Amino acid sequence: MPVTDSPAIYFDGHTAGRREVLVDAGADLHGLRIKSVEGKTIAVWRFENIRLAKDSGSRDKPVLFRIVDGAEERLVLQDVEILDVLRPLCPQLMRTDVDVGTYSRIAKWGVAAVAALGLMIFVIIPMLANTLAGFISPAREAAIGRGVINQIEWLLNEGSDDDWTCTDPAGQAALNAMMARLMQDRKADYDLDVRVVDHSMVNAFAVPGGHMVFMHGLIDQAETPEEVAAVLAHELGHVVARDPIRMTLRAAGTAGLLSLAIGDATGGTIIAVAADQALTSSFSREAEAQADRFAHQMLIDASVPPSALSLMFDRLRDEHGDVEGIAEHFASHPALGDRIAAAVDATPKDFVSKPILSDQEWADLRGICDDN
Amino acid sequence: MSDLTPETIQGRYNGEGKPLFWLALKTTALTILTLGIYRFWAKTRIRRYIWSATAPGGDTFEYTGTGVEKLIGFLIAIVVLAVYLGITQVFLMFFGFSLMDMATGPDATAAETLAGALVTYITLLALTPLIFFARYRARRYMLSRTRWRGLRFAMDKAAFQYAWRGVLYFLFTVISLGLLWPLMTFNLEKFKTDRTWYGDAKFEQGGKWTMLYPAMKHLFIGVAIAVVGSGIGIAADVPVVFGVSFFVGYIWGAIGFVHYRTQSFAIMARHKTLDGEIAFKAAPQTSEVVIKYILGGLLVGLVFAVLFAPVVFATSYAFSSNDMELLIGAQIFIILGYLLSLILSGAVAIAFISQPILRHFVETSTALNPAHFDTIRQRIGDDMADAEGFADALDIGGAF
């Protein structure tokens, strides 16, 4: 059914003036004819060029435009039923027109974005972090480390005001003796400080500036001083490699880069957090493996069998289970099974070991927190 | 209509709750299913609806932005931001560590802890100018994709100048404890308005910043009640006085905040001109805005509660049963419930909070001397390859 003299509002695309017009459309015409109220033709839009503005918030006033170079007119139909006539006549009424070359632009910038993120995260930021770490003086790094320990204490000690560092002098002396025996004539960049804190968690960690912290739970769990020595050797590996300060700088750079790419207020946040976790742990797993290798050598030099490390890991595995498969990529440490095997492999046959502590010293170390 | 006298054109809003709710629901669901990629199209479609529902004098706005250009703009922004943020964050952290040297003397430990905490936040510094930069570019993009009566809007290129001004006024506001907030509001809005075009006609922001102080009245009253009242409560050791005055001051201040946002917008709108010939009136009511927030907020809360009640029930049952399989099932249930309520409450918020408030602002706005529009002519388009990619990547932006 053709349309004649249907009212519409016409904007010519050159000025902001509005003009009342009449519209004709029908199968015998090749396009939509726009006329002045006096009946003079203003324009004819070919049907295949006509598009309807989508997702309209004023449903009774559909807006038409045409895809022709340089044409910026708008036609607002006053009678919404005309759309039913136009639909069969205008095969591309609802088409979304995409400029030529759009897809190759998406591909080009997509590759550029991935490359920029990859280059920053895997090359430039680690390089920058390593270089800048070299400019941080040992004294400053020690101060940074004290700040970190205080923050951790505040977090883990549940805000309690009691000093959580264990201070028994004999215990501390035993710990220092153990470290001296491991270090032998090796040099570190800063004064080493190892302490035990009164916390039941089975854990130990190194923070910037040569500070190492043992949670008392770990010493409780260990059956021999060699197991503690093995963990200490591992932490010394981190300290000698300056891992903590490099990791801190690196994390500062990469933090947020991934959430930038994926994050939005919806489900993307979950993915971003998981991806960030996977990424930082892949860095630290590399460092962990290196610290393990350092510890094996250090233990051999000190006549302690590296397999002591595996005994400690065995205990950890019994207590916490192991990470394997997909989960392994999200864990900050390599799978315990691999580390146990590596520690056992590192122990030479016919290894002659010497006790790292005397029985008295070991008793002192176990009792280091008794005064707390 | 009686308000359509030839001397003015009145703002009109044709949008409805239901169609916008379904559009928002559909596009948010698609966004989640495509792991966020559809969000550029979702935003485009919501804007198309809102723009085309807004009709000063019966002629609708038109939004011509596309999802594709937003995606490309986002990728461009990622390239720039990865390099900028990666490098500045490492350096800021490094310089933050230098602060550690200042911690000496008997209180060294406490100072070190404080400095350590500060270092964590110092990396945020790199973001502040970027946020203003992104906001300006997002507005420029939005205007360049907006038409009314077939003519384009536009904003001049000035994002860098805007960014340093933004940081400066932001610092003034923080240092003056908010007293200089009107200076920031007015000067930043004037900066943007004076660079805004409709066709070949330029907007201009008149008035001066001190005219915004009356709009801060209720904010001041709220703070005064909270500070003085709780001060008296503490001094006289009457906890009830402390609690009540703090609560009343807090609510009063929150409404005062909405009042400031609403009325500072209106005052500045009344001092805007287009081409020196067309003036504007704006008379939004703070009470209307507050009521719409509360009613819409209740609706969102209701949707959330109805959806989450079965989730909470099922989860607590699973936890009490201590059955491993049930627990895993419960976790999946929680995630699904969370996503579903996220989609639903977002759609409800757009359709039943943001839209009614926008309707109120539009319907209380008027343009004077509309005959002058006939003399305004078209301008050429502003390409802007990065679209609003910076704002998208940094996840900043308004309701729409």
Side-chain angles (χ1 to χ4, degrees):
Chain A
M1 195 186 72
V3 171
T4 44
D5 291 346
S6 174
I9 307 291
Y10 178 70
F11 300 106
D12 64 9
H14 298 300
T15 73
R18 88 203 285 273
R19 188 165 177 186
E20 289 180 14
V21 294
L22 299 173
V23 171
D24 295 343
D28 53 326
L29 295 165
H30 291 293
L32 190 77
R33 184 189 293 137
I34 302 165
K35 307 177 300 186
S36 68
V37 277
E38 293 84 22
K40 223 181 111 201
T41 301
I42 298 168
V44 178
W45 289 7
R46 294 174 63 87
F47 286 134
E48 68 267 28
N49 293 336
I50 297 178
R51 303 285 183 274
L52 172 72
K54 285 190 275 277
D55 299 317
S56 173
S58 302
R59 291 179 169 206
D60 53 338
K61 298 281 160 60
V63 176
L64 299 179
F65 57 99
R66 60 173 176 153
I67 299 297
V68 171
D69 274 346
E72 301 193 89
E73 314 107 295
R74 293 294 185 271
L75 188 70
V76 188
L77 302 176
Q78 301 298 295
D79 180 3
V80 71
E81 276 159 30
I82 297 180
L83 275 185
D84 296 335
V85 180
L86 286 179
R87 269 200 186 97
L89 295 174
C90 305
Q92 305 186 42
L93 192 65
M94 305 304 290
R95 193 185 137 111
T96 302
D97 300 273
V98 178
D99 292 343
V100 188
T102 298
Y103 296 108
S104 65
R105 287 186 70 210
I106 295 177
K108 191 182 85 185
W109 282 108
V111 169
V114 171
L117 282 175
L119 198 67
M120 289 306 297
I121 292 173
F122 295 109
V123 183
I124 296 179
I125 292 173
M127 231 169 61
L128 211 57
N130 291 352
T131 313
L132 286 178
F135 288 113
I136 295 177
S137 68
R140 181 180 298 168
E141 198 181 319
I144 295 167
R146 281 194 295 275
V148 173
I149 291 181
N150 289 337
Q151 276 182 349
I152 294 174
E153 173 172 7
W154 188 80
L155 274 175
L156 288 183
N157 211 12
E158 284 148 7
S160 156
D161 283 340
D162 300 341
D163 193 352
W164 71 336
T165 306
C166 302
T167 49
D168 178 64
Q172 186 66 43
L175 194 58
N176 290 344
M178 178 187 275
M179 185 164 68
R181 170 100 178 264
L182 287 171
M183 284 300 282
Q184 294 183 346
D185 42 10
R186 285 186 180 81
K187 291 266 180 294
D189 293 334
Y190 9 66
D191 299 335
L192 298 175
D193 155 48
V194 57
R195 64 176 86 175
V196 178
V197 297
D198 194 10
H199 196 281
S200 59
M201 203 182 266
V202 183
N203 203 355
F205 53 88
V207 300
H211 302 283
M212 284 154 289
V213 177
F214 275 74
M215 306 257 180
H216 193 248
L218 188 138
I219 292 168
D220 257 354
Q221 284 280 312
E223 273 172 18
T224 65
E226 279 71 20
E227 292 177 26
V228 178
V231 176
L232 181 56
H234 172 87
E235 299 308 331
L236 282 167
H238 283 308
V239 166
V240 169
R242 302 191 79 192
D243 282 338
I245 190 76
R246 288 191 300 125
M247 289 296 170
T248 310
L249 283 171
R250 196 149 148 177
T254 51
L257 277 198
L258 279 168
S259 62
L260 204 66
I262 320 170
D264 63 324
T266 47
T269 314
I270 301 169
I271 306 170
V273 169
D276 205 39
Q277 183 66 32
L279 189 73
T280 48
S281 10
S282 84
F283 288 152
S284 64
R285 265 181 301 144
E286 192 187 297
E288 294 302 331
Q290 207 148 17
D292 274 356
R293 284 194 292 276
F294 178 92
H296 298 158
Q297 191 55 50
M298 183 176 239
L299 290 168
I300 290 171
D301 293 348
S303 304
V304 177
S307 50
L309 197 53
S310 73
L311 291 176
M312 200 67 223
F313 291 148
D314 249 341
R315 256 181 257 299
L316 280 175
R317 185 161 65 175
D318 290 345
E319 189 162 307
H320 302 295
D322 201 351
V323 285
E324 261 155 343
I326 295 177
E328 194 189 331
H329 294 280
F330 291 91
S332 57
H333 287 63
L336 284 173
D338 297 347
R339 300 177 77 184
I340 292 170
V344 172
D345 285 350
T347 313
K349 284 197 181 103
D350 322 318
F351 186 77
V352 185
S353 59
K354 283 194 289 182
I356 185 109
L357 293 182
S358 68
D359 289 346
Q360 181 56 47
E361 283 173 318
W362 178 226
D364 289 342
L365 179 54
R366 290 181 73 88
I368 192 169
C369 293
D370 288 353
D371 296 341
N372 282 68
Chain B
M1 244 191 268
S2 61
D3 58 5
L4 256 180
T5 58
E7 283 79 31
T8 64
I9 53 177
Q10 182 69 34
R12 205 187 293 169
Y13 190 82
N14 299 329
E16 291 160 68
K18 223 169 92 181
L20 182 58
F21 172 74
W22 285 113
L23 183 64
L25 195 68
K26 202 164 61 185
T27 53
T28 320
L30 279 170
T31 301
I32 289 178
L33 287 178
T34 57
L35 304 178
I37 294 174
Y38 192 76
R39 69 180 189 268
F40 307 105
W41 285 267
K43 204 183 229 177
T44 303
R45 297 187 64 183
I46 297 288
R47 280 190 195 164
R48 280 208 294 242
Y49 184 90
I50 301 283
W51 263 236
S52 61
T54 307
D59 298 325
T60 61
F61 278 99
E62 185 186 343
Y63 183 70
T64 60
T66 67
V68 165
E69 71 185 6
K70 284 187 189 67
L71 170 64
I72 295 175
F74 170 74
L75 294 173
I76 295 175
I78 289 292
V79 173
V80 177
L81 288 177
V83 176
Y84 169 82
L85 280 182
I87 292 177
T88 47
Q89 309 267 62
V90 177
F91 271 97
L92 278 174
M93 186 61 123
F94 175 74
F95 289 118
F97 283 153
S98 316
L99 292 177
M100 293 288 186
D101 289 355
M102 295 192 297
T104 47
D107 288 333
T109 347
E112 274 167 7
T113 315
L114 185 69
L118 272 178
V119 167
T120 321
Y121 293 103
I122 204 168
T123 48
L124 290 177
L125 264 183
L127 277 175
T128 321
L130 210 54
I131 286 169
F132 287 102
F133 176 85
R135 275 203 192 134
Y136 188 92
R137 284 193 80 83
R139 175 133 147 185
R140 185 180 141 210
Y141 165 74
M142 229 157 67
L143 283 166
S144 74
R145 301 302 188 265
T146 300
R147 287 169 186 248
W148 184 66
R149 291 186 168 185
L151 261 52
R152 288 189 189 85
F153 285 79
M155 190 150 86
D156 295 336
K157 296 176 190 170
F160 281 107
Q161 293 95 304
Y162 184 77
W164 71 255
R165 279 177 176 81
V167 172
L168 200 68
Y169 290 126
F170 180 67
L171 285 179
F172 286 168
T173 306
V174 171
I175 291 167
S176 68
L177 300 175
L179 281 176
L180 288 180
W181 194 12
L183 182 73
M184 167 157 148
T185 312
F186 179 82
N187 280 352
L188 291 185
E189 179 60 26
K190 181 173 169 58
F191 186 90
K192 288 182 282 195
T193 305
D194 290 353
R195 282 159 185 78
T196 302
W197 298 79
Y198 171 62
D200 63 353
K202 195 166 165 299
F203 281 91
E204 226 160 294
Q205 177 69 59
K208 52 183 183 175
W209 67 279
T210 46
M211 71 185 179
L212 299 185
Y213 272 113
M216 280 188 94
K217 185 173 74 183
H218 292 291
L219 211 48
F220 286 137
I221 294 176
V223 172
I225 292 174
V227 170
V228 175
S230 46
I232 291 172
I234 291 171
D237 202 17
V238 188
V240 179
V241 175
F242 172 82
V244 168
S245 52
F246 191 82
F247 180 73
V248 171
Y250 180 78
I251 297 291
W252 200 304
I255 292 173
F257 177 78
V258 177
H259 182 72
Y260 176 70
R261 296 292 297 264
T262 307
Q263 297 310 322
S264 64
F265 162 82
I267 294 169
M268 282 188 291
R270 292 195 287 266
H271 285 82
K272 283 182 169 72
T273 53
L274 177 59
D275 222 12
E277 295 283 342
I278 297 167
F280 302 90
K281 273 200 225 163
Q285 297 292 310
T286 306
S287 55
E288 288 280 326
V289 177
V290 170
I291 286 168
K292 288 177 164 75
Y293 264 124
I294 293 172
L295 289 181
L298 286 176
L299 194 60
V300 172
L302 195 70
V303 167
F304 222 85
V306 166
L307 264 171
F308 246 107
V311 174
V312 171
F313 179 75
T315 324
S316 52
Y317 174 75
F319 273 103
S320 61
S321 76
N322 239 343
D323 177 337
M324 205 52 204
E325 271 176 33
L326 262 183
L327 273 175
I328 292 169
Q331 278 178 354
I332 295 169
F333 197 50
I334 290 175
I335 293 173
L336 285 180
Y338 168 75
L339 289 178
L340 192 66
S341 50
L342 209 63
I343 298 174
L344 262 177
S345 54
V348 170
I350 281 194
F352 300 107
I353 302 181
S354 306
Q355 179 169 253
I357 290 173
L358 176 71
R359 175 196 296 279
H360 179 66
F361 275 92
V362 171
E363 288 178 347
T364 50
S365 298
T366 315
L368 310 173
N369 187 22
H372 187 73
F373 279 120
D374 296 0
T375 68
I376 298 176
R377 301 192 61 82
Q378 183 66 295
R379 67 181 298 109
I380 53 163
D382 178 358
D383 210 23
M384 243 191 130
D386 61 319
E388 54 184 7
F390 285 95
D392 276 331
L394 298 169
D395 204 16
I396 48 177
F400 304 120

